Amino acid sequence: MALRAVHVFNVPSLHQVTENAALALHSSRLAQGVKDEGEETICGYEWPKFMVMGHRGSGMNMLQSYDTRLKCIKENSILSFNSAAKFPIDFVEFDVQVTKDDYPVIFHDNFIGAEDMGVFKEQRVTDITLLEFLSYGPQKEAGKVERPMLRKIKDGRIFEWKVEKDDSLCTLQEVFEKVEHSKGFNIELKFDDQIVYKEEKLEHVLRVILQVVNKFAKDRPILFSSFQPDAALLMRKLQSTYPVYFLTNGGSEIYADVRRNSTEEAIKVCLRGGLQGIVSEVKAIFRNPGAVTRIKEANLGIITYGQLNNVAEAVYMQILMGVEGVIVDLVPEITEAVFG
């Protein structure tokens, strides 16, 4: 199968890869029955040779971008997940946080913002109740008035969260109940980089999330991932049904916790804690291609994320390198390129 070229705007590009290289791709369907050396089920599914995952569903919202495709569908919403599910992906990826009153909800940013008396105000998602969280954006119930959402990006600019196809905020339970059942969930366990969490707090949050997963997942494929190393390690200790991957940007940013600062450190975290794999920023893999070999020699899985995954040539190169999956924003274009 040859990878087809796609036209992509506002994302980095790579040199053209030869078009006649062969790709050994399995079907996007998942087979049951994977066990570790001790015959303990670690996930219940065998990953196909290559996977495409929808980032926050049908792609993250970049409100500052000129690319209208990144402002088409509200990210991390039921609409976004089911729109992505129409394409030959295996998983949708999304971010889970737990509200003040212990409800797992789907939201990426640590803070949620709106205008109050002409002034931008934001609240930490984990410091508000479920009802407060759901009051933002379009409302499910007729007659309820929404709080129009604003978003502050990293450089401090504030944008109206306006997309072509909007949708309500949602809970983890709703996602299990309303998203196409054939699609797996890559559940990112979201924590604030600026907070030092005690183990008791992490365990409480993870148990709240697990309670929903265990009740509603049934036979749906599940993958847990987190940038927070202690959360990833603890999730592995709390359950052995689903694989846990450690998220890393591979050194693009430097953190006080050295475990987060390189792919090599990520490998050590996985091996020490019995994690099943790594989700790396794709640029880290291209800067250090040997990392893929070392990850696979350690018997770990490797998936990547990042804007370069919206470039067909970059995805093609990763298939040849042995990467097992990519998390992408441009789901139609990349699935067409990979699966034809």
Side-chain angles (χ1 to χ4, degrees), residues 78-294:
I78 302 294
L79 176 62
S80 185
F81 301 142
N82 280 328
S83 296
K86 295 176 182 177
F87 297 90
I89 60 171
D90 287 298
F91 284 75
V92 289
E93 181 272 352
F94 53 80
D95 310 272
V96 173
Q97 303 184 58
V98 173
T99 61
K100 180 181 179 180
D101 51 348
D102 285 345
Y103 285 91
V105 296
I106 313 301
F107 200 73
H108 172 269
D109 301 357
N110 296 315
F111 293 87
I112 187 168
E115 187 178 284
D116 185 9
M117 303 292 290
V119 178
F120 173 72
K121 291 188 178 180
E122 55 185 0
Q123 297 176 288
R124 187 179 292 277
V125 172
T126 54
D127 286 343
I128 61 178
T129 66
L130 175 63
L131 287 179
E132 290 174 305
F133 174 76
L134 295 177
S135 70
Y136 289 87
Q139 298 298 293
K140 299 180 180 72
E141 298 179 27
K144 274 198 172 183
V145 179
E146 70 174 89
R147 297 184 68 186
M149 291 171 58
L150 301 176
R151 187 179 212 174
K152 180 188 284 189
I153 63 174
K154 286 185 177 180
D155 64 12
R157 288 182 292 165
I158 297 171
F159 291 87
E160 180 183 1
W161 204 322
K162 189 174 183 180
V163 294
E164 181 181 337
K165 299 176 183 177
D166 211 342
D167 196 18
S168 305
L169 298 180
C170 60
T171 66
L172 180 59
Q173 179 177 331
E174 286 180 292
V175 172
F176 275 110
E177 293 173 334
K178 299 178 180 179
V179 173
E180 166 60 44
H181 185 75
S182 66
K183 304 304 178 182
F185 290 166
N186 177 351
I187 301 175
E188 181 182 340
L189 308 167
K190 187 77 177 181
F191 295 92
D192 191 334
D193 294 338
Q194 306 306 316
I195 295 177
V196 177
Y197 294 91
K198 294 183 178 180
E199 183 173 343
E200 303 80 50
K201 176 63 175 178
L202 289 176
E203 181 170 347
H204 175 77
V205 170
L206 297 181
R207 286 192 182 278
V208 169
I209 294 170
L210 273 174
Q211 186 175 16
V212 175
V213 173
N214 291 336
K215 184 175 181 180
F216 295 99
K218 299 180 181 177
D219 61 345
R220 188 191 295 270
I222 302 292
L223 164 67
F224 290 115
S225 60
S226 186
F227 283 105
Q228 221 290 350
D230 293 322
L233 293 168
L234 186 54
M235 180 57 90
R236 177 63 175 129
K237 289 181 181 178
L238 292 175
Q239 60 82 47
S240 59
T241 304
Y242 305 112
V244 182
Y245 278 43
F246 182 42
L247 270 157
T248 179
N249 62 27
S252 298
E253 297 180 49
I254 301 301
Y255 300 89
D257 189 334
V258 295
R259 295 175 295 178
R260 299 191 58 184
N261 291 337
S262 69
T263 304
E264 297 302 323
E265 288 294 331
I267 294 174
K268 293 178 185 178
V269 169
C270 292
L271 294 180
R272 289 170 182 167
L275 305 186
Q276 284 81 23
I278 291 170
V279 183
S280 174
E281 216 293 340
V282 59
K283 287 184 289 187
I285 296 300
F286 283 134
R287 285 197 304 265
N288 182 17
V292 175
T293 301
R294 289 191 292 277

